[in-house]
Amino acid sequence: MSQTLQVLQAFDRTVVSEIPMDDARTLEAKLASAARTMRDRRAWLKPHQRSGILWRTASLLEARQAHFAQLIAREGGKPLSDAAVEVIRAIDGLRNAAEELRVFAGREIPMGLTPASEGRWAFTTKEPIGVVAAISAFNHPLNLIVHQVAPAIAVGCPVIVKPAMATPLSCLDFVALLREAGLDEPWCQTFITDDNALAERLATDPRVAFLSFIGSARVGWYLRSKLAPGTRCALEHGGAAPVIVDRSAPLDRIIEPIVKGGYYHAGQVCVSTQRIFVHADVMDEFVERLAARVRSLRVGDPLLQETEVGPLITPHEANRVMSWTDEAVSAGAVIIGGGRQSETTLMPAILVEPAVDSKVSQLEIFGPVTCVYGFQELDKAIDIANSLPFAFQASVFSADIGPAMRAARRLDASTVLVNDHTAFRTDWMPFAGRRQSGYGVGGIPYSMEEMSQEKMLVLRYDG
């Protein structure tokens, strides 16, 4: 008898659903099916077929927005208003992948530049890289799946997707939409398991040509070290996103985006605003304004339309965030707000001047906590912002172009946002962690490039 997985509602830990899990035999069958599908080049889906499937899936998802928003809020704990935005992004992501196929092509390679290359015409074409293993995270249980699956379908790769065990239902229902849109099962299969050894077997099987991994750096870098020879990968981890607030920044206009960046989805976002460096001239007023807005955030059941901050994904995570906060306070940080509301929900907190060696200053919090530090010299604040072994997105708020551009040039980040929060992204822009924060480039068009390979064709002719 196969084992089952209980999927719990993030907010109150009640059972949402119970679903069957896959075992080693099922994994082998799915890998064999995907590899067989990839080998049969005559049966590869044509671009118009792939595009049509993506467009139809987008339409099906659009018709079921309310269902998916509720599902995201229940299993993942994201507030319903934000969950609705996630569904809209997923719809757009599918259309983005389909539209990208209109320009997804090789290029001509010039010949005749030397006598030896005369009489030849050369160009490249795009081919799918092979079987894709996609291992996903809980915090955007629909949109992250779309980020991994839609590019694979678009370029013609069979994909096996393993959702996070806390949030598998959005993935399962999404794959059901793909079936309804006409995609045969071997082109997109799910793999449901809580067995880490089986998940590792999926990622490291030699039949897998590309691993897409979204999750913890510890697991991602470990899996990369175990990949079969020739397997390529993209890793998306997290960071401790820094924000620079210059003395010229208009405080009445910057608090709202900073709060959104720091407390969206209870801080459970890989580019969530975490470390805020504020010029000493405006430090007191900034903290006062930030504290007033943070205290007003409505915490509670994500299914309620008015909720702004929902639960942490598990009680364990809530306990961890509380322990990190307590440690920082014990070492001298001043705390504003905070505290536990329930088993899974925490009141948003601000930590003022936590020690530089505390966990909240050194590691990704992944909870509803921001840290505020004062500075006198911009370059010193930038040096501290750049001092951690990971780097992803960063922000600078300034009304003066000089400090804004100085910070934009010197911050170690793959993206620097000027007068916007660190968690901003669109799904067609490049999205990549630096150093320990990731490997490869995300964003739907960029993932399509990563999941494809070029083939050269050289035609020799007379005359």
Side-chain angles (χ1 to χ4, degrees), residues 101-166:
L101 283 173
R102 292 189 176 274
V103 295
F104 191 71
R107 61 191 179 95
E108 184 178 355
I109 307 299
M111 291 286 120
L113 300 176
T114 63
S117 64
E118 288 181 1
R120 291 169 176 83
W121 178 34
F123 57 92
T124 65
T125 61
K126 297 279 194 180
E127 289 191 344
I129 191 172
V131 175
V132 171
I135 298 177
S136 206
F138 76 85
N139 53 336
H140 308 292
L142 174 63
N143 208 37
L144 292 183
I145 299 295
V146 169
H147 286 176
Q148 295 171 294
V149 170
I153 293 169
V155 302
C157 291
V159 57
I160 301 172
V161 57
K162 179 197 172 299
M165 287 302 90

Side-chain angles (χ1 to χ4, degrees), residues 50 58 72 110 135 163 188 225-226 264 328 345 360 437 456:
R50 291 178 253 139
I72 291 165
I135 298 177
C188 183
S225 74
K226 298 293 184 180
Y264 165 65
T345 53
V360 298
S437 288
M456 273 283 300

